[in-house]
Amino acid sequence: MTISRRALLAAGAGAGLLTACGANTGRDDGGSGPRLSHWYHQYGEPGTERAVQRYAAAFKKARVSVQWRPGNYDQQTAAALLTDSGPDVFEVNGPTLDQIQQGQVVELTDLLAGVRDDFNPAVLGPMTYEGKVYGIPQVVDMQLLYYRKSLLRDAGVEPPATLDALIDAAARLTDGETKGLFLGNDGGAGVLGGTPLRAAGFDLVTADGAAGFDDPAAARTLGKLRRLYAGKSLLLGAPADWSDPSAFVQGLTAMQWCGLWALPRVREELGDDFGVLPFPADGARGRPAVPVGAYGAAVSARSGHREPAKEYVKWLWVERTDFQTDFALSYGFHIPARLSLAAKAGRLRTGPAADAVRFAADHGYAQPLLWTPAARTAYQDALSRIIKDGADPARELRAVVAKVTAELKRVRRVKKPS
């Protein structure tokens, strides 16, 4: 299986598994100035590799060599950042907190002078530490809820705006042939992540660096997901999992949690007979929630050409808005990271695509930088036990809060090298 940009949105999965492919040197002639190496992970969308080679060839102040990296990209880059033979510029699902605190990546704040507010804050936030930017977002991917208009209309069901309404709609839309809702073959335990907590009005980590869900209302929200799983309205055991819209377009489910990448196929199969929604709000302090993610461009602190590398990153991901729009929409279906580009992109201006852009801007959230792998694993394990095993949500969340609190204390003690 080839993994595309959607993989970074799988809860707790980071950039996901990458299949092997041959490295490509892009070009190493033409231009002038120093040689720069630019690493990318392998994309599943056809044409992406040639596109980034074309971008690199257009930069005339350095000779940029594009490398399409095989194998486990995250492990490769983590190891390469410790050596002098790694990339000058690299694509990253981050950078991670460890990479920033250990001084492995170069601060890029100055590259966004005058345009910082034009970048979607939900994806720029996780690339920012103590007010300083360490990665430039490239595109935005997002998850959202697809619903079949005709099936809802025939059942007299309104598009659900609350979690309780979603549970009720799923039950009313279930019949002998069609289930009401598909959240993945595990009932949403793997993909939903912190989205239900966000929809209930809670953050994974608060602005002052504390666990943001130490509240009985958070446990009640997760308990509702168990109700869905234990009932008869969730599709389980579909031929393809949540990231593939097959179950939705084939009529196996009236609603499906999926990603923006699926929208062109859904539109091709169903025409105008579908709409999209954010994850619905829950409780008195609830709000719609849309998980978003973005790969970013970063500069290695071990690069021998830091300033030219920074200039190249600024040129490609800040100044060349034509390349940014091309990268987002010509190879797969994604949202440009800059709000102004997303607003005027022709393919994103009408119908469900325009709704998705609005949801990403108004309700988008990403896993915070301080949400460490240990914290994420503790929460994901608890969420799985709650949904699939019926474990007590309050007890499970208390244990997660304790783990997250310990993690936050640990990372605050780590200081970035001067």
Side-chain angles (χ1 to χ4, degrees):
M1 181 177 68
T2 300
I3 303 299
S4 67
R5 282 173 263 202
R6 72 192 65 174
L8 67 97
L9 281 168
L17 299 175
L18 303 175
T19 55
C21 69
N24 191 297
T25 58
R27 73 175 177 100
D28 52 18
D29 57 352
S32 61
R35 294 177 181 269
L36 298 178
S37 174
H38 188 174
W39 287 14
Y40 288 87
H41 87 282
Q42 180 188 2
Y43 283 83
E45 296 92 343
T48 312
E49 183 179 8
R50 290 187 178 181
V52 297
Q53 292 171 3
R54 175 166 52 86
Y55 306 155
F59 186 66
K60 300 305 182 183
K61 294 184 179 181
R63 293 167 290 175
V64 181
S65 171
V66 169
Q67 293 198 24
W68 213 240
R69 301 298 297 180
N72 190 315
Y73 180 80
D74 285 348
Q75 288 185 1
Q76 288 186 39
T77 52
L81 292 179
L82 302 176
T83 74
D84 293 328
S85 59
D88 299 286
V89 177
F90 63 103
E91 186 179 57
V92 62
N93 181 23
T96 67
L97 182 62
D98 284 345
Q99 289 168 345
I100 294 171
Q101 290 183 326
Q102 294 171 15
Q104 296 177 0
V105 289
V106 175
E107 183 193 342
L108 304 177
T109 310
D110 59 312
L111 304 191
L112 298 184
V115 297
R116 184 167 177 170
D117 290 344
D118 193 36
F119 281 81
N120 187 308
V123 293
L124 184 60
M127 301 183 189
T128 306
Y129 182 61
E130 296 182 344
K132 299 177 180 179
V133 177
Y134 292 88
I136 308 299
Q138 298 173 173
V139 298
V140 177
D141 264 320
M142 61 184 294
Q143 296 168 5
L144 64 172
L145 182 67
Y146 289 79
Y147 66 93
R148 187 80 173 265
K149 290 180 179 179
S150 59
L151 295 181
L152 269 67
R153 182 178 61 249
D154 292 348
V157 172
E158 292 294 323
T162 67
L163 181 55
D164 289 332
L166 177 66
I167 295 171
D168 178 68
R172 294 172 61 187
L173 290 164
T174 297
D175 58 27
E177 298 181 354
T178 303
K179 290 292 187 178
L181 178 62
F182 184 41
L183 298 174
N185 285 325
D186 60 1
V191 68
L192 291 180
T195 301
L197 295 180
R198 177 77 177 184
F202 301 102
D203 295 319
L204 295 176
V205 179
T206 64
D208 57 356
F213 48 93
D214 188 8
D215 192 293
R220 288 195 293 271
T221 293
L222 298 190
K224 293 179 181 181
L225 300 180
R226 168 60 185 178
R227 283 170 46 197
L228 266 172
Y229 184 86
K232 303 298 184 181
S233 57
L234 275 189
L235 175 63
L236 301 172
D241 213 345
W242 69 272
S243 64
D244 187 314
S246 295
F248 183 66
V249 299
Q250 292 172 9
L252 301 180
T253 181
M255 300 182 290
Q256 178 174 337
W257 188 252
C258 195
L260 181 65
W261 54 82
L263 196 148
R265 180 182 170 192
V266 172
R267 185 168 51 205
E268 180 181 356
E269 298 277 351
L270 301 181
D272 295 330
D273 188 22
F274 76 99
V276 295
L277 294 169
F279 194 90
D282 187 49
R285 56 187 292 180
R287 57 195 171 186
V290 174
V292 299
Y295 278 102
V299 174
S300 171
R302 301 293 288 265
S303 169
H305 306 290
R306 289 192 190 186
E307 290 307 315
K310 288 177 59 178
E311 186 175 4
Y312 166 64
V313 168
K314 181 178 181 180
W315 172 85
L316 179 54
W317 296 116
V318 179
E319 296 174 353
R320 289 302 301 258
T321 55
D322 55 338
F323 287 163
Q324 294 156 37
T325 300
D326 179 65
F327 189 67
L329 292 168
S330 297
Y331 317 98
F333 199 71
H334 316 274
I335 301 174
R338 294 183 63 168
L339 300 173
S340 61
L341 299 183
K344 64 184 182 183
R347 296 182 69 193
L348 300 175
R349 295 185 68 177
T350 60
D355 292 336
V357 171
R358 177 167 51 85
F359 297 155
D362 294 347
H363 310 304
Y365 88 98
Q367 292 184 358
L369 186 61
L370 294 179
W371 189 244
T372 67
R376 183 167 59 244
T377 297
Y379 172 74
Q380 283 297 135
D381 290 347
L383 182 63
S384 181
R385 289 190 292 268
I386 292 168
I387 293 176
K388 300 176 71 174
D389 302 333
D392 179 64
R395 183 176 65 248
E396 292 288 340
L397 278 191
R398 281 195 297 270
V400 175
V401 167
K403 177 64 176 180
V404 172
T405 300
E407 274 292 283
L408 292 170
K409 289 180 179 178
R410 180 186 66 82
V411 299
R412 280 196 294 265
R413 290 195 295 266
V414 179
K415 299 297 182 183
K416 182 178 178 296
S418 56

